[in-house]
C-alpha cells in the first residue's frame, strides 16, 4: 500500500473554522489550506479530533472535505477521520470520504462500549471497514481520549490486511510506538500524533507525524523530519527542544482554541470553536503570542 | 419541576432491537414496551446507553422515540437520551425529542474534549440546553464511560436552573450519590443507574433508579423500591442480594448483548446488537439462563 | 472466630502523637486512649494508616502498642496493623503484636510489586500470615492506597481459613462491600473504613466500621450504628448526613494532620505529624473548628 | 556535583539473592558483583526496587551494601536506594548508606500519604534529605509504583540544591524525560530506568540509564550507550530493537523473579525471591532461556 500512497512525512490535522455564530466558515478553511499548500507538508488530515469532528453533522463534514480537497494539491495525500461508534457508521463515513476525494481514512477504535468490545471484535471492526473502504485505512490509537490502548497484537492482526496501510499513535509512550513501528517496518507506516516526542519517535521507527503544531509552523516540522532522515540528530534534537513548548500550547495546554488563536495570529484560518469549547483567555493569548514570536522572525 | 413530572421510582432504559441485518426492529421494540407497560414501572428511558444511542443515526433515534411513545402510556414519563458532544447538537436533539413526545431529556456531559471543558464550560452547556429544552432536563453522570465525574459544585450550580429537574448517577460510589441527593432534597431528584447498589442508594436519598435489569424483572425492582418506601429494610436488603447477580449479568458482565439475550429468553424484545458489539457466547447464555430461572417461577 | 472475638461495632483507628521534634509523645497517646475508653466504642486499631505506621520504626510501633494496651480495657478488642511488603516481615510483625497484647491483626496486601503478585501469591501470603499469627487476622482492602482492589474470589479463599476473621473495606464502593459481606454472613466480618458511607454500609451487611472520625465523635458514630441495629433507618440516615462533612475534613480533606488538629481542639491526644506530612494551615483549622462546634454543644 | 561524581553511563540495579529459606545469600551477591566489575558498566545501584529493598530489614540492607562495596571497584560509583516514607527515616538511611560506602543515594518520593503531600512538602522532603546526606542525592520518579509523577516544577526546584545531582526516570514517557533533561543540561543528570526506550532517551538528553537488563547483558547496554555518544544512531536503534524483548522479560514481563532466573542461567548471582514474590513458572523459564540464547553466542 505505502508504495502507491506516500504517507511518510509530516501532516497537519487541520481545524474546522467556525464563525461567531458557530457556523462553518469555509472561506477561512480555504485560506488555511491554501497557506499549507505553499509549505512542504506531506499531507493533511481533515475531520480529525483537531477538526472538532465530534461537533460536526455528517453533512457539515462532507462540506469541509469538499472544500479542503479543492484547495489541497491532488498530488499530496488528504486523509479524513471517519471513526464512528458502529461498524456500519464507520463504513458509511469511509465510503463518503473516498467519494469526496480522501486518499486514506483514519479510524479511531469505537470506545463507548469499550468494556464489551474485546480484541476479536476490534479486529472484526477494523477489517470490515478496510474491506469496504475504497481507499487505504489507517488505525488511530489515542488512549488519552478513548481510555484504552490498542495492543501490539491487535495492530499486528490489522496490519495483515492489504487495505490497512498504517496507524497514528497519539501518546508520549515511545516503547509502544517502537513496538508498533517494528510490526512491518517499511510497509505498515506509523505516524506520531505527539509533537513533543517527534524526534525520538522518528529515531525509533516512526515514518512521520500528524501534528497540530504542523498547522502553525509547517516548515520547521518538516525541517525536523528532514534532519532525522539526513542523520543530523543533534540538529533534530535541538529543533525538538524549540518546538516542544509551542506544540504544548496548542494541544495539551490550550487545546483547539489555542491552535485556532495561533492560526488567526498568523494571518487567519483559525476561527471560533463550538461550545462547550470556549475561546482562550487573555493569559493564554499572551503565552501563545510570546511563544510564536521567535518563529515569525 | 418534580411536582408536575413524577420522576421518582424505577425506570427501564430500554434497548433498541435490531434484526439480523442490523436494521431497526420496531415491532420487537413495540412488544417490549407493551410488556413493560403492563408492569408497575414508573417510566422508561429511550436512547440511553442501553439503547445503543451511539450506534444510531438521528433519524433512527426519531423512529425509535415515536414508536416507544405510541406504545407507552401517556400518563407515565418517557425520558430520552439526547447528549451530544456539541451544545448545539444537544439542543437540537432535546427539541426533537420533546416534539416526539419525550417528557424529559437526559444529558450526558460532553467528553471528547474533556481536558479543555472546565466547570464553567460544563455549566454553560447544561444551562444552554436547559434554556432551550421544551421539557425538563436531567443530568447524567457516568464516569465509567466519560472518564470523569461531575462534581457536587457543578451539579449544585445546574440544580439551580428551573428546567433542570434531577440527575442519573451511574456508579457504585454511595458517598457521591448521597452528596448529590443532599443538594436539594425533594426537589432535585437523583436516580441511581447502578442496580447492585439500588437499596443503599434509596436508603441514602435516591428517589429511584434507571436500571437495565428493570427491563428484565420490572416487578421485583419496583418491589424493592416499595420496600424502602414502606420502611421494610430487611426485605429490601434481602431482595437486593437476589437481584445483584442478575443485574451484573446484563450490565458489567455481558453488556447490552446480555440484556438482549435475557429479554429474548423472556419472550422477545431484545434482538441483535450492532457491531462492533457481538452476541453473547454459549457460556454467557447458560449463565444468564440459569440466573433467570428462579425469577420465572 | 467471631464468636469469641467481638469485632462488630465501631472502632477508632488511633493516630500516633508526636512532639514538636517528631518524637513519640506517649503521654498524649495515653490521654487519647483514656478518653476513648470512656466512650462506648467497640474497639481500637493501633498502627494503621491513621497511626502513621509507615513512618514508624518497629521499635516505635512496639512502644505504641504497649502503651495503648495498658490504657485500653482488656475486655474490648485491640487491633494492630501489621502489614509489610514481605510475608516474613508480616509474620514477624503479627507475632510481635500478639505478644504485646493485640487481639487481632490487620493485614494490608503487599503492593510494592503488585504487578507480579497475582491472586495465588496473595492468597498464599494471607494464609501464611494466618497460619503463623497467634491471634485472628483481618484483611485490609484499601485500593486508594495500594492501587488495586482485592477481588471477591481472593477474599472468599481467605475467608475459608479458620484464623481469618474478617476484613476492613476502605472505599465508597457499596457494591464491592456488599459482595464481601455476602461471602460468609455472620461469620466473616466486614468493617467499613469509609465514614461517609457508614449507614449504607451497615444497611448492606457491614458489621461495623473502623473510622478516623470515631476518634473525634465516638459516641455519635456508635449512635449511628445502634440506630441501624434497632431498625431506626431514618435516624441513621439523618445522622449520617450530619457526620459526613466532619468525617471528610479529618480524612480525604486534610488527612491525619486534620484529624490530629481536631483531637487537640477537643482536649489533646493529637499532636504533631511527621514530615513529609505537615500541619494543617489556617483555613483548614477554621473549617475543622467550625465543623466541630455543633458536636460540642 | 556531576563533575566530581561520574554518574553518566549505564548502571545495573542489582538484585538481592536469597537462599531457598529466604535468607540473604551474600556469596551469590558477591559473585554477581564480581562478574559486573569485569564489565564496562559505569556503576551499580544497590537496594533499589530490583534489590527487593521493600523486603529487607535495615540490618539486611546494611549487610548487602557492605558486601557490594567490598566487591565493586572504588573507582566506580555505587548508588544506594534509601527512600523511606518519613523524612527522618530517609535521612537516617542516607547517612547509613554513605557510612557504608555509597557514593550517592537514590530517593524515591514518599507515597503512602500522597494525597496529603503536596509540591511544597515534597520539595521540603528532598531538600531535607539533601541537606543531611553526606553524599549526592538523586531523585527517583517511578509513577508506575508510586501512583503519581514528579512534575517538572518539583524537579526544577530540587535541581537547584547543590547536593542534588540528578534523577532516575522510570517510564516510557519521553516527553517527560526530555523535560527533566532540559532543566539543567550537563549539570543535573537524568538516567532512564526503562530499557525499552534507552536509545530514544539517550537521544533526548538522558545521560545514561539504570536498567535491570544491564545485570544480564552489561556489555551490550554499554555498547548501545557508546553508539549514541559516537553518533552511530542506526546502530543504536538496531541494538535497541534486539534489547527490548529481553529487557521486557526481566522487568514488566516476569519481574525480579525473571531477572534472577536469567542471572542464574548465566552462571549464578540471582537466587530466590522473597514471598509474596514467587519463582517464574516453566513457560517463563523457557521464554527467558530462548531470549538469552542469541546473546550467549
Amino acid at each position: 500500500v505505502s508504495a502507491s500512497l506516500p504517507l511518510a512525512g509530516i501532516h497537519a490535522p487541520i481545524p474546522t473554522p467556525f464563525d461567531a455564530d458557530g457556523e462553518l466558515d469555509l472561506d477561512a478553511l480555504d485560506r488555511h489550506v491554501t497557506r499549507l499548500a505553499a509549505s512542504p507538508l506531506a499531507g493533511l488530515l481533515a475531520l480529525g479530533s483537531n477538526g472538532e469532528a465530534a461537533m460536526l453533522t455528517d453533512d457539515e463534514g462532507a462540506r469541509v472535505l469538499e472544500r479542503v480537497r479543492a484547495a489541497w494539491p491532488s498530488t499530496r495525500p488528504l486523509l479524513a477521520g471517519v471513526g464512528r461508534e458502529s461498524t456500519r457508521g464507520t463504513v458509511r463515513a469511509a465510503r463518503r470520504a473516498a467519494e469526496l476525494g480522501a486518499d486514506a481514512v483514519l479510524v479511531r477504535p469505537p470506545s463507548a462500549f469499550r468494556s464489551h468490545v474485546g480484541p476479536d471484535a476490534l479486529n472484526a471492526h477494523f477489517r470490515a471497514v478496510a474491506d469496504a473502504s475504497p481507499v487505504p485505512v489507517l488505525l488511530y490509537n489515542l488512549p488519552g481520549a478513548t481510555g484504552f490502548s490498542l495492543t501490539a497484537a491487535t495492530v499486528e492482526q490489522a496490519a495483515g490486511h492489504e487495505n490497512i496501510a498504517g496507524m497514528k499513535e497519539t501518546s508520549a509512550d515511545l516503547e509502544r510506538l517502537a513496538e508498533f513501528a517494528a510490526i512491518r517496518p517499511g510497509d505498515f507506516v506509523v505516524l506520531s500524533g505527539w509533537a513533543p516526542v517527534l524526534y525520538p519517535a522518528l529515531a525509533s521507527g516512526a515514518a512521520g507525524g500528524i501534528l497540530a503544531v504542523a498547522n502553525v509552523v509547517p516548515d520547521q516540522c518538516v525541517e525536523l523530519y528532514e534532519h532525522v532522515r539526513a542523520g543530523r540528530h543533534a540538529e533534530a534534537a535541538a529543533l525538538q527542544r524549540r518546538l516542544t513548548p509551542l506544540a504544548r500550547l496548542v494541544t495539551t495546554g490550550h487545546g483547539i482554541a489555542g491552535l485556532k488563536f495561533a492560526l488567526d495570529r498568523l494571518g487567519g484560518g483559525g476561527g471560533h470553536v463550538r461550545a462547550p469549547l470556549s475561546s482562550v483567555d487573555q493569559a493564554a493569548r499572551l503565552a501563545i503570542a510570546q511563544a510564536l514570536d521567535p518563529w515569525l522572525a
Side-chain angles (χ1 to χ4, degrees), chain A:
Chain A
V1 163
S2 55
S4 50
L5 180 70
L7 288 170
I10 305 298
H11 306 252
I14 54 173
T16 303
F18 301 108
D19 65 22
D21 295 327
E23 300 301 325
L24 288 182
D25 182 349
L26 296 177
D27 291 338
L29 178 66
D30 191 89
R31 280 196 301 279
H32 181 50
V33 174
T34 301
R35 174 178 161 251
L36 294 182
S39 82
L41 281 180
L44 295 192
L45 168 67
L47 307 179
S49 357
N50 279 291
E52 288 172 75
M55 307 282 203
L56 302 177
T57 65
D58 287 347
D59 282 350
E60 288 174 330
R63 292 168 61 203
V64 165
L65 210 46
E66 281 180 315
R67 194 67 176 256
V68 174
R69 182 70 282 179
W72 182 246
S74 60
T75 52
R76 288 195 263 172
L78 171 60
L79 285 56
V82 300
R84 300 289 189 277
E85 287 298 326
S86 70
T87 303
R88 61 160 52 202
T90 308
V91 163
R92 201 159 41 211
R95 288 180 170 147
R96 189 80 195 277
E99 282 167 18
L100 295 167
D103 298 303
V105 292
L106 188 68
V107 178
R108 56 178 274 168
S111 62
F113 302 100
R114 59 183 171 272
S115 50
H116 294 104
V117 176
D120 288 346
L122 266 184
N123 185 42
H125 176 79
F126 288 134
R127 297 185 82 88
V129 176
D131 284 344
S133 172
V135 294
V137 166
L138 284 88
L139 311 183
Y140 188 5
N141 192 38
L142 66 171
T146 59
F148 72 98
S149 178
L150 297 179
T151 63
T154 294
V155 172
E156 195 160 358
Q157 273 189 304
H161 192 290
E162 59 174 12
N163 201 30
I164 298 185
M167 71 180 301
K168 179 182 180 190
E169 163 65 21
T170 295
S171 83
D173 185 328
L174 260 284
E175 179 181 11
R176 192 162 56 208
L177 180 135
E179 200 174 9
F180 292 153
I183 287 175
R184 293 192 169 213
D187 191 30
F188 181 79
V189 167
V190 176
L191 302 172
S192 171
W194 204 265
V197 298
L198 176 58
Y199 163 53
L202 293 170
S204 298
I210 303 181
L211 308 164
V213 75
N215 285 289
V216 185
V217 287
D219 299 77
Q220 290 84 350
C221 291
V222 173
E223 188 186 350
L224 196 162
Y225 170 75
E226 294 296 346
H227 280 325
V228 179
R229 272 170 57 95
R232 297 186 297 267
H233 283 263
E235 288 84 348
L239 184 47
Q240 176 73 67
R241 281 192 293 274
R242 284 188 65 209
L243 196 61
T244 293
L246 178 63
R248 277 193 195 127
L249 285 169
V250 299
T251 54
T252 47
H254 301 291
I256 295 168
L259 173 60
K260 288 184 164 182
F261 173 75
L263 294 184
D264 282 341
R265 197 173 160 83
L266 291 175
H272 292 259
V273 289
R274 272 189 173 166
L277 290 176
S278 50
S279 301
V280 286
D281 62 20
Q282 188 52 33
R285 284 166 196 255
L286 199 63
I288 295 169
Q290 285 179 335
L292 281 175
D293 267 357
W295 302 87
L296 300 178

